[in-house]
Protein backbone atom coordinates (compact mmCIF):
# COMPACT_ATOMS: atom_id res chain seq x y z
CA UNK A 1 0.00 0.00 0.00
CA UNK A 2 1.04 3.63 -0.19
CA UNK A 3 0.38 6.82 -2.08
CA UNK A 4 0.65 7.06 -5.86
CA UNK A 5 3.97 6.90 -7.73
CA UNK A 6 6.12 5.43 -4.96
CA UNK A 7 6.72 2.10 -6.72
CA UNK A 8 3.89 -0.07 -5.40
CA UNK A 9 3.16 -1.64 -8.77
CA UNK A 10 6.87 -2.09 -9.47
CA UNK A 11 7.23 -3.83 -6.10
CA UNK A 12 4.29 -6.06 -7.02
CA UNK A 13 5.68 -6.85 -10.48
CA UNK A 14 9.11 -7.61 -9.09
CA UNK A 15 7.77 -9.81 -6.30
CA UNK A 16 5.34 -11.75 -8.47
CA UNK A 17 6.94 -11.62 -11.94
CA UNK A 18 3.70 -10.01 -13.12
CA UNK A 19 3.20 -7.37 -15.76
CA UNK A 20 0.72 -4.78 -14.55
CA UNK A 21 0.69 -1.14 -15.69
CA UNK A 22 3.48 1.05 -14.33
CA UNK A 23 3.13 4.74 -15.08
CA UNK A 24 4.07 8.07 -13.60
CA UNK A 25 0.59 9.33 -12.80
CA UNK A 26 -1.87 8.90 -9.91
CA UNK A 27 -4.23 5.92 -9.73
CA UNK A 28 -2.42 3.66 -12.20
CA UNK A 29 -3.83 0.85 -10.07
CA UNK A 30 -7.63 1.06 -9.72
CA UNK A 31 -8.75 -2.50 -9.17
CA UNK A 32 -6.58 -4.61 -6.88
CA UNK A 33 -4.06 -6.84 -8.63
CA UNK A 34 -3.69 -10.24 -7.02
CA UNK A 35 -0.56 -12.27 -7.62
CA UNK A 36 1.64 -14.96 -6.18
CA UNK A 37 4.86 -14.01 -4.42
CA UNK A 38 7.20 -16.42 -2.65
CA UNK A 39 8.85 -16.58 0.73
CA UNK A 40 12.40 -17.93 0.69
CA UNK A 41 13.73 -20.53 3.15
CA UNK A 42 16.51 -23.10 3.24
CA UNK A 43 14.93 -26.37 2.17
CA UNK A 44 15.36 -29.52 4.27
CA UNK A 45 16.35 -31.53 1.20
CA UNK A 46 20.07 -30.80 1.56
CA UNK A 47 20.03 -31.49 5.28
CA UNK A 48 18.38 -34.86 4.67
CA UNK A 49 20.61 -35.65 1.70
CA UNK A 50 17.89 -36.15 -0.91
CA UNK A 51 16.92 -34.63 -4.24
CA UNK A 52 13.40 -33.26 -3.94
CA UNK A 53 10.68 -32.55 -6.48
CA UNK A 54 8.12 -30.20 -4.92
CA UNK A 55 4.54 -30.02 -6.14
CA UNK A 56 3.11 -26.99 -4.37
CA UNK A 57 6.29 -24.89 -4.20
CA UNK A 58 9.67 -24.84 -5.89
CA UNK A 59 13.21 -25.69 -4.79
CA UNK A 60 16.27 -24.28 -6.54
CA UNK A 61 19.70 -25.40 -5.34
CA UNK A 62 18.39 -26.09 -1.85
CA UNK A 63 16.42 -22.85 -1.59
CA UNK A 64 12.66 -23.43 -1.19
CA UNK A 65 10.28 -20.79 -2.52
CA UNK A 66 6.79 -21.12 -1.02
CA UNK A 67 3.84 -19.25 -2.56
CA UNK A 68 1.86 -16.57 -0.75
CA UNK A 69 -0.81 -14.17 -2.01
CA UNK A 70 0.14 -10.56 -2.66
CA UNK A 71 -2.38 -7.79 -3.38
CA UNK A 72 -1.52 -4.49 -5.05
CA UNK A 73 -4.10 -1.84 -4.18
CA UNK A 74 -4.79 1.71 -5.33
CA UNK A 75 -2.65 4.57 -4.09
CA UNK A 76 -3.85 6.83 -1.30
CA UNK A 77 -4.02 10.59 -0.97
CA UNK A 78 -4.82 12.67 2.14
CA UNK A 79 -8.57 12.58 2.80
CA UNK A 80 -8.94 9.03 1.50
CA UNK A 81 -11.07 7.92 4.48
CA UNK A 82 -13.74 10.40 3.44
CA UNK A 83 -13.75 9.08 -0.12
CA UNK A 84 -11.19 11.37 -1.74
CA UNK A 85 -9.36 9.79 -4.65
CA UNK A 86 -9.82 6.02 -4.54
CA UNK A 87 -9.67 6.00 -0.76
CA UNK A 88 -12.69 3.85 0.04
CA UNK A 89 -11.71 1.36 -2.67
CA UNK A 90 -8.19 1.08 -1.28
CA UNK A 91 -9.29 0.68 2.30
CA UNK A 92 -11.88 -1.93 1.41
CA UNK A 93 -9.32 -3.93 -0.60
CA UNK A 94 -6.64 -3.63 2.09
CA UNK A 95 -8.88 -5.25 4.71
CA UNK A 96 -8.07 -8.64 3.13
CA UNK A 97 -4.43 -8.44 4.15
CA UNK A 98 -2.75 -10.01 7.18
CA UNK A 99 0.23 -7.65 6.86
CA UNK A 100 0.42 -4.32 5.08
CA UNK A 101 3.56 -3.54 3.10
CA UNK A 102 3.76 0.23 2.99
CA UNK A 103 5.88 1.29 0.02
CA UNK A 104 7.24 4.79 0.55
CA UNK A 105 9.39 6.95 -1.70
CA UNK A 106 12.35 7.28 0.63
CA UNK A 107 14.12 9.57 -1.87
CA UNK A 108 11.47 12.24 -1.41
CA UNK A 109 10.90 12.62 -5.17
CA UNK A 110 7.08 12.74 -4.93
CA UNK A 111 4.83 15.15 -3.06
CA UNK A 112 1.94 14.16 -0.78
CA UNK A 113 -0.36 13.72 -3.79
CA UNK A 114 2.13 11.44 -5.56
CA UNK A 115 3.20 14.06 -8.10
CA UNK A 116 6.88 14.09 -9.16
CA UNK A 117 9.11 16.68 -7.49
CA UNK A 118 12.88 17.10 -7.29
CA UNK A 119 14.52 14.37 -5.16
CA UNK A 120 14.60 15.45 -1.55
CA UNK A 121 11.69 17.89 -1.80
CA UNK A 122 9.07 15.35 -0.73
CA UNK A 123 8.69 14.16 2.86
CA UNK A 124 8.44 10.36 3.18
CA UNK A 125 7.89 10.58 6.93
CA UNK A 126 4.74 12.59 6.31
CA UNK A 127 3.63 9.90 3.87
CA UNK A 128 4.13 7.30 6.56
CA UNK A 129 1.98 9.22 9.03
CA UNK A 130 -0.86 10.18 6.71
CA UNK A 131 -1.34 6.65 5.36
CA UNK A 132 -1.69 5.25 8.86
CA UNK A 133 -3.89 8.15 9.93
CA UNK A 134 -6.20 7.50 6.99
CA UNK A 135 -6.54 3.85 7.97
CA UNK A 136 -7.29 4.79 11.59
CA UNK A 137 -9.88 7.35 10.56
CA UNK A 138 -11.50 4.79 8.26
CA UNK A 139 -11.86 2.26 11.08
CA UNK A 140 -13.33 4.96 13.29
CA UNK A 141 -15.82 5.87 10.56
CA UNK A 142 -16.98 2.24 10.43
CA UNK A 143 -17.62 2.31 14.17
CA UNK A 144 -19.35 5.69 14.12
CA UNK A 145 -21.67 4.61 11.34
CA UNK A 146 -23.78 2.66 13.86
CA UNK A 147 -22.60 4.34 17.03
CA UNK A 148 -26.07 4.82 18.56
CA UNK A 149 -26.84 1.16 17.97
CA UNK A 150 -23.49 0.12 19.46
CA UNK A 151 -24.21 2.14 22.61
CA UNK A 152 -27.72 0.69 22.89
CA UNK A 153 -26.56 -2.91 22.52
CA UNK A 154 -23.64 -2.56 24.92
CA UNK A 155 -25.37 -0.54 27.63
CA UNK A 156 -29.09 -1.26 27.40
CA UNK A 157 -28.87 -4.85 26.18
CA UNK A 158 -25.82 -5.54 28.34
CA UNK A 159 -23.69 -6.98 25.56
CA UNK A 160 -19.93 -6.80 25.94
CA UNK A 161 -18.56 -3.85 24.01
CA UNK A 162 -15.85 -6.01 22.41
CA UNK A 163 -18.57 -8.33 21.07
CA UNK A 164 -20.56 -5.47 19.59
CA UNK A 165 -17.49 -3.85 18.04
CA UNK A 166 -16.24 -7.15 16.65
CA UNK A 167 -19.59 -7.66 14.94
CA UNK A 168 -19.42 -4.14 13.50
CA UNK A 169 -15.89 -4.76 12.19
CA UNK A 170 -16.54 -8.32 11.06
CA UNK A 171 -15.42 -7.50 7.52
CA UNK A 172 -11.94 -6.84 8.87
CA UNK A 173 -11.80 -10.21 10.66
CA UNK A 174 -11.09 -8.51 13.98
CA UNK A 175 -11.66 -10.74 16.98
CA UNK A 176 -13.28 -9.88 20.28
CA UNK A 177 -10.02 -10.68 22.05
CA UNK A 178 -8.07 -8.26 19.90
CA UNK A 179 -10.55 -5.50 20.71
CA UNK A 180 -10.46 -6.36 24.41
CA UNK A 181 -6.66 -6.23 24.36
CA UNK A 182 -6.82 -2.86 22.61
CA UNK A 183 -9.26 -1.48 25.19
CA UNK A 184 -7.10 -2.70 28.03
CA UNK A 185 -3.93 -1.27 26.48
CA UNK A 186 -5.35 2.26 26.30
CA UNK A 187 -7.23 1.82 29.60
CA UNK A 188 -10.56 2.81 28.07
CA UNK A 189 -12.87 1.86 30.91
CA UNK A 190 -15.59 4.52 30.55
CA UNK A 191 -19.06 3.60 29.37
CA UNK A 192 -19.24 3.74 25.55
CA UNK A 193 -21.78 6.57 25.77
CA UNK A 194 -19.01 8.64 27.40
CA UNK A 195 -16.41 7.93 24.73
CA UNK A 196 -15.30 10.92 22.68
CA UNK A 197 -14.31 10.90 19.01
CA UNK A 198 -10.72 11.17 20.18
CA UNK A 199 -11.19 8.07 22.36
CA UNK A 200 -12.51 6.23 19.32
CA UNK A 201 -9.57 7.37 17.19
CA UNK A 202 -7.07 6.13 19.78
CA UNK A 203 -8.93 2.81 19.95
CA UNK A 204 -9.04 2.57 16.15
CA UNK A 205 -5.29 3.09 15.99
CA UNK A 206 -4.76 0.27 18.47
CA UNK A 207 -7.07 -2.01 16.51
CA UNK A 208 -5.27 -1.20 13.25
CA UNK A 209 -1.83 -1.68 14.80
CA UNK A 210 -2.76 -5.10 16.16
CA UNK A 211 -4.85 -6.37 13.26
CA UNK A 212 -2.97 -4.89 10.28
CA UNK A 213 0.73 -4.71 11.20
CA UNK A 214 2.85 -2.70 8.79
CA UNK A 215 6.33 -3.18 7.37
CA UNK A 216 7.93 -0.37 5.40
CA UNK A 217 9.53 -0.82 2.00
CA UNK A 218 11.75 2.26 1.70
CA UNK A 219 11.83 2.35 -2.09
CA UNK A 220 14.15 4.29 -4.42
CA UNK A 221 16.86 3.80 -1.81
CA UNK A 222 19.57 4.08 -4.47
CA UNK A 223 18.85 7.78 -5.04
CA UNK A 224 21.30 9.93 -3.07
CA UNK A 225 18.58 11.98 -1.38
CA UNK A 226 17.42 8.76 0.33
CA UNK A 227 20.33 8.58 2.76
CA UNK A 228 19.14 11.23 5.18
CA UNK A 229 15.60 9.85 5.20
CA UNK A 230 16.82 6.32 5.86
CA UNK A 231 18.60 7.63 8.94
CA UNK A 232 15.37 9.30 10.07
CA UNK A 233 13.54 6.00 9.65
CA UNK A 234 16.09 4.24 11.82
CA UNK A 235 15.33 6.69 14.61
CA UNK A 236 11.64 5.75 14.47
CA UNK A 237 12.55 2.14 15.32
CA UNK A 238 10.01 0.80 12.84
CA UNK A 239 10.61 -2.35 10.80
CA UNK A 240 11.77 -1.32 7.33
CA UNK A 241 14.04 -2.37 4.50
CA UNK A 242 15.67 -0.15 1.88
CA UNK A 243 14.35 -1.38 -1.47
CA UNK A 244 15.17 -0.78 -5.11
CA UNK A 245 12.22 -2.31 -6.93
CA UNK A 246 13.44 -1.36 -10.41
CA UNK A 247 16.67 -3.27 -9.79
CA UNK A 248 14.80 -6.41 -8.71
CA UNK A 249 12.58 -6.20 -11.76
CA UNK A 250 15.63 -5.91 -14.02
CA UNK A 251 17.33 -8.88 -12.36
CA UNK A 252 14.30 -11.12 -12.68
CA UNK A 253 13.76 -10.25 -16.32
CA UNK A 254 17.44 -10.83 -17.11
CA UNK A 255 17.23 -14.17 -15.31
CA UNK A 256 14.14 -15.19 -17.31
CA UNK A 257 16.06 -14.42 -20.51
CA UNK A 258 18.86 -16.67 -19.25
CA UNK A 259 21.32 -13.79 -19.30
CA UNK A 260 22.21 -14.12 -15.61
CA UNK A 261 21.94 -16.57 -12.73
CA UNK A 262 20.02 -14.92 -9.92
CA UNK A 263 17.71 -16.14 -7.19
CA UNK A 264 15.34 -13.66 -5.53
CA UNK A 265 16.93 -12.56 -2.28
CA UNK A 266 20.52 -13.20 -3.42
CA UNK A 267 23.20 -10.62 -2.72
CA UNK A 268 24.81 -11.06 -6.15
CA UNK A 269 24.27 -12.50 -9.62
CA UNK A 270 26.41 -14.19 -12.27
CA UNK A 271 26.39 -13.25 -15.93
CA UNK A 272 25.87 -16.35 -18.08
CA UNK A 273 26.34 -15.01 -21.58
CA UNK A 274 28.43 -11.86 -21.47
CA UNK A 275 29.01 -11.92 -25.22
CA UNK A 276 25.27 -11.55 -25.86
CA UNK A 277 24.84 -8.48 -23.68
CA UNK A 278 24.56 -5.07 -25.28
CA UNK A 279 26.47 -2.10 -23.89
CA UNK A 280 23.22 -0.78 -22.43
CA UNK A 281 22.52 -4.10 -20.69
CA UNK A 282 26.05 -4.25 -19.32
CA UNK A 283 25.75 -0.73 -17.95
CA UNK A 284 22.40 -1.52 -16.31
CA UNK A 285 23.76 -4.66 -14.68
CA UNK A 286 26.80 -2.77 -13.41
CA UNK A 287 24.49 -0.27 -11.71
CA UNK A 288 22.47 -3.09 -10.14
CA UNK A 289 25.66 -4.82 -8.99
CA UNK A 290 26.58 -1.63 -7.13
CA UNK A 291 23.14 -1.55 -5.50
CA UNK A 292 23.50 -5.17 -4.32
CA UNK A 293 26.99 -4.45 -2.99
CA UNK A 294 25.70 -1.43 -1.08
CA UNK A 295 22.49 -2.86 0.41
CA UNK A 296 23.12 -6.61 0.32
CA UNK A 297 19.98 -7.17 -1.78
CA UNK A 298 17.24 -5.26 -3.54
CA UNK A 299 15.16 -5.59 -0.36
CA UNK A 300 12.09 -7.14 -1.99
CA UNK A 301 12.59 -10.69 -0.71
CA UNK A 302 13.61 -9.41 2.71
CA UNK A 303 10.34 -7.48 3.05
CA UNK A 304 8.28 -10.53 2.12
CA UNK A 305 10.16 -12.86 4.46
CA UNK A 306 10.06 -10.42 7.37
CA UNK A 307 6.30 -10.00 6.98
CA UNK A 308 5.73 -13.75 6.95
CA UNK A 309 8.16 -14.96 9.60
CA UNK A 310 8.84 -12.03 11.92
CA UNK A 311 5.57 -10.11 11.94
CA UNK A 312 3.17 -13.04 11.53
CA UNK A 313 5.45 -15.43 13.43
CA UNK A 314 5.00 -18.28 10.97
CA UNK A 315 7.11 -21.39 10.51
CA UNK A 316 7.55 -23.90 7.66
CA UNK A 317 6.85 -27.61 8.03
CA UNK A 318 7.06 -30.44 5.50
CA UNK A 319 4.18 -32.96 5.44
CA UNK A 320 5.07 -36.41 4.01
CA UNK A 321 3.30 -39.76 3.75
CA UNK A 322 6.42 -41.92 3.94
CA UNK A 323 8.56 -40.95 6.92
CA UNK A 324 11.55 -42.92 5.61
CA UNK A 325 11.68 -41.75 2.00
CA UNK A 326 10.08 -38.35 2.70
CA UNK A 327 7.61 -38.85 -0.13
CA UNK A 328 3.91 -38.65 -0.89
CA UNK A 329 1.94 -41.58 -2.31
CA UNK A 330 3.23 -40.86 -5.80
CA UNK A 331 6.86 -40.87 -4.74
CA UNK A 332 7.41 -37.11 -4.86
CA UNK A 333 10.16 -36.17 -2.40
CA UNK A 334 9.25 -33.34 -0.02
CA UNK A 335 6.25 -32.49 -2.22
CA UNK A 336 4.85 -29.84 0.09
CA UNK A 337 6.08 -27.05 2.36
CA UNK A 338 3.41 -25.49 4.56
CA UNK A 339 3.53 -22.06 6.14
CA UNK A 340 1.77 -22.29 9.50
CA UNK A 341 1.54 -20.31 12.72
CA UNK A 342 4.33 -20.98 15.21
CA UNK A 343 1.77 -22.14 17.79
CA UNK A 344 0.34 -24.83 15.49
CA UNK A 345 -0.04 -28.42 16.66
CA UNK A 346 0.16 -31.70 14.79
CA UNK A 347 -3.63 -31.83 14.64
CA UNK A 348 -3.79 -28.28 13.31
CA UNK A 349 -1.52 -29.38 10.48
CA UNK A 350 -3.76 -32.37 9.76
CA UNK A 351 -6.80 -30.11 9.35
CA UNK A 352 -4.80 -27.73 7.20
CA UNK A 353 -3.84 -30.53 4.81
CA UNK A 354 -7.36 -31.91 4.59
CA UNK A 355 -10.42 -31.72 6.83
CA UNK A 356 -10.79 -35.53 6.82
CA UNK A 357 -7.25 -35.98 8.13
CA UNK A 358 -8.07 -33.73 11.04
CA UNK A 359 -11.36 -35.44 11.82
CA UNK A 360 -9.78 -38.88 11.87
CA UNK A 361 -6.48 -37.85 13.45
CA UNK A 362 -4.80 -40.64 15.43
CA UNK A 363 -1.24 -39.46 15.82
CA UNK A 364 1.64 -37.99 13.84
CA UNK A 365 5.20 -39.14 13.27
CA UNK A 366 8.28 -36.93 13.45
CA UNK A 367 10.11 -38.16 10.34
CA UNK A 368 13.49 -37.11 11.74
CA UNK A 369 13.26 -39.17 14.92
CA UNK A 370 10.58 -41.64 13.72
CA UNK A 371 8.81 -41.07 17.05
CA UNK A 372 5.06 -40.70 17.48
CA UNK A 373 3.73 -37.32 18.52
CA UNK A 374 0.27 -36.49 19.82
CA UNK A 375 -2.45 -34.13 18.65
CA UNK A 376 -1.34 -31.28 20.89
CA UNK A 377 2.35 -31.57 20.07
CA UNK A 378 3.57 -28.10 19.11
CA UNK A 379 5.39 -28.08 15.80
CA UNK A 380 8.63 -26.24 15.13
CA UNK A 381 10.27 -24.76 12.09
CA UNK A 382 11.64 -27.35 9.68
CA UNK A 383 9.66 -30.28 11.09
CA UNK A 384 9.00 -33.18 8.74
CA UNK A 385 5.66 -34.68 9.71
CA UNK A 386 3.58 -37.70 8.74
CA UNK A 387 -0.10 -37.63 9.76
CA UNK A 388 -1.76 -40.94 10.65
CA UNK A 389 -5.54 -40.81 10.40
CA UNK A 390 -8.54 -43.13 10.26
CA UNK A 391 -9.82 -41.27 7.22
CA UNK A 392 -8.04 -41.13 3.92
CA UNK A 393 -8.06 -38.12 1.67
CA UNK A 394 -10.20 -38.05 -1.43
Amino acid sequence: MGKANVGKSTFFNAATDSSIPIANFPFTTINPNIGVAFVRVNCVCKEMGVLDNPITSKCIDGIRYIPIKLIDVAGLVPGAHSGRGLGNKFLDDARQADVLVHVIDISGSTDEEGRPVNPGEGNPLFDLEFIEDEFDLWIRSLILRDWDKIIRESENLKQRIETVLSNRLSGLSISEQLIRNSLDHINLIKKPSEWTKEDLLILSKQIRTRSKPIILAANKADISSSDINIEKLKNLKRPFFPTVCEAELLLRRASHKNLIYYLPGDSSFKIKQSETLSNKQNEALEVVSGILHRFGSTGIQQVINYACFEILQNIVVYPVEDEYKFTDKKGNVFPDARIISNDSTAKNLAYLIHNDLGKGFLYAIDARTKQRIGAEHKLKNGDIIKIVSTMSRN
Side-chain angles (χ1 to χ4, degrees):
M1 70 170 189
K3 69 179 185 184
N5 288 331
V6 295
K8 297 188 318 304
S9 294
T10 310
F11 182 103
F12 181 87
N13 283 346
T16 64
D17 288 336
S18 298
S19 295
I20 60 174
I22 300 172
N24 193 25
F25 56 85
F27 312 133
T28 300
T29 301
I30 297 176
N31 294 316
N33 299 292
I34 300 176
V36 176
F38 295 85
V39 297
R40 168 179 170 151
V41 298
N42 291 326
C43 186
V44 295
C45 64
K46 282 193 172 181
E47 177 190 351
M48 307 311 293
V50 297
L51 183 64
D52 61 355
N53 53 327
I55 304 300
T56 59
S57 54
K58 55 187 177 181
C59 183
I60 307 172
D61 295 336
I63 304 296
R64 181 72 71 124
Y65 288 91
I66 309 168
I68 60 170
K69 184 167 75 170
L70 196 65
I71 304 174
D72 174 40
V73 296
L76 277 185
V77 294
H81 72 280
S82 59
R84 185 165 181 261
L86 297 173
N88 287 337
K89 185 80 175 75
F90 158 82
L91 292 164
D92 189 54
D93 292 333
R95 66 182 172 80
Q96 306 172 57
D98 296 318
V99 175
L100 301 174
V101 177
H102 184 178
V103 183
I104 59 176
D105 175 5
I106 198 64
S107 71
S109 55
T110 46
D111 67 13
E112 64 183 40
E113 302 281 345
R115 295 173 298 221
V117 296
N118 293 323
E121 290 184 0
N123 183 359
L125 298 190
F126 170 80
D127 300 340
L128 168 62
E129 292 176 0
F130 101 71
I131 291 284
E132 295 182 0
D133 288 346
E134 290 296 334
F135 216 110
D136 299 341
L137 288 165
W138 179 64
I139 292 176
R140 186 180 70 172
S141 72
L142 294 179
I143 296 173
L144 284 173
R145 196 173 298 169
D146 288 325
W147 186 234
D148 289 341
K149 181 180 179 182
I150 289 172
I151 292 175
R152 185 169 63 253
E153 290 179 357
S154 62
E155 295 186 8
N156 297 343
L157 301 180
K158 305 300 182 184
Q159 294 187 35
R160 292 182 302 177
I161 185 60
E162 58 265 37
T163 302
V164 180
L165 289 177
S166 179
N167 291 336
R168 183 69 194 91
L169 301 174
S170 59
L172 291 171
S173 300
I174 295 173
S175 68
E176 292 183 30
Q177 188 58 53
L178 185 147
I179 294 174
R180 171 44 54 193
N181 292 342
S182 299
L183 289 165
D184 291 342
H185 183 80
I186 63 176
N187 197 30
L188 188 55
I189 57 177
K190 297 183 293 186
K191 294 190 302 182
S193 58
E194 297 175 351
W195 293 0
T196 65
K197 285 190 175 182
E198 183 62 25
D199 289 330
L200 281 172
L201 185 58
I202 294 171
L203 175 60
S204 297
K205 185 178 185 66
Q206 275 296 314
I207 290 172
R208 188 263 306 161
T209 301
R210 293 169 183 270
S211 65
K212 304 294 176 186
I214 293 175
I215 180 173
L216 304 175
N219 195 35
K220 307 181 186 180
D222 55 320
I223 299 175
S224 59
S225 57
S226 298
D227 295 347
I228 188 170
N229 290 323
I230 288 175
E231 290 305 311
K232 290 178 181 178
L233 268 188
K234 290 178 181 177
N235 293 333
L236 293 180
K237 295 181 171 55
R238 295 280 302 273
F240 82 94
F241 289 91
T243 62
V244 187
C245 298
E246 292 281 2
E248 180 70 23
L249 199 57
L250 186 151
L251 286 169
R252 295 203 184 197
R253 288 175 176 173
S255 179
H256 289 327
K257 293 178 181 179
N258 206 34
L259 299 176
I260 65 172
Y261 178 83
Y262 171 74
L263 296 181
D266 278 356
S267 59
S268 62
F269 61 89
K270 293 181 181 179
I271 295 176
K272 287 184 175 181
Q273 305 175 46
S274 58
E275 67 280 359
T276 65
L277 294 177
S278 67
N279 289 336
K280 187 175 181 180
Q281 288 172 325
N282 265 314
E283 290 172 2
L285 287 172
E286 284 181 16
V287 170
V288 173
S289 181
I291 290 170
L292 294 179
H293 179 74
R294 179 183 175 190
F295 295 109
S297 74
T298 65
I300 307 297
Q301 191 65 57
Q302 285 67 25
V303 167
I304 293 170
N305 269 42
Y306 190 93
C308 183
F309 298 119
E310 299 299 325
I311 294 181
L312 294 179
Q313 293 288 293
N314 289 321
I315 60 174
V316 176
V317 298
Y318 298 80
V320 296
E321 296 191 50
D322 186 322
E323 67 270 35
Y324 294 96
K325 296 180 180 179
F326 312 124
T327 61
D328 61 12
K329 287 181 179 178
K330 295 182 179 180
N332 297 304
V333 179
F334 289 126
D336 195 8
R338 295 277 177 151
I339 300 172
I340 61 175
S341 172
N342 67 355
D343 60 358
S344 296
T345 64
K347 193 168 185 177
N348 292 149
L349 177 62
Y351 271 108
L352 183 63
I353 297 170
H354 197 282
N355 200 47
D356 286 349
L357 282 183
K359 288 180 178 178
F361 182 91
L362 294 174
Y363 59 90
I365 297 175
D366 183 330
R368 295 175 186 274
T369 64
K370 307 301 185 285
Q371 293 182 339
R372 290 190 180 191
I373 54 179
E376 300 307 312
H377 177 87
K378 187 176 177 180
L379 301 178
K380 60 184 184 299
N381 191 52
D383 272 350
I384 307 166
I385 302 295
K386 173 181 178 177
I387 302 296
V388 180
S389 172
T390 61
M391 306 180 74
S392 62
R393 286 180 285 174
N394 295 325

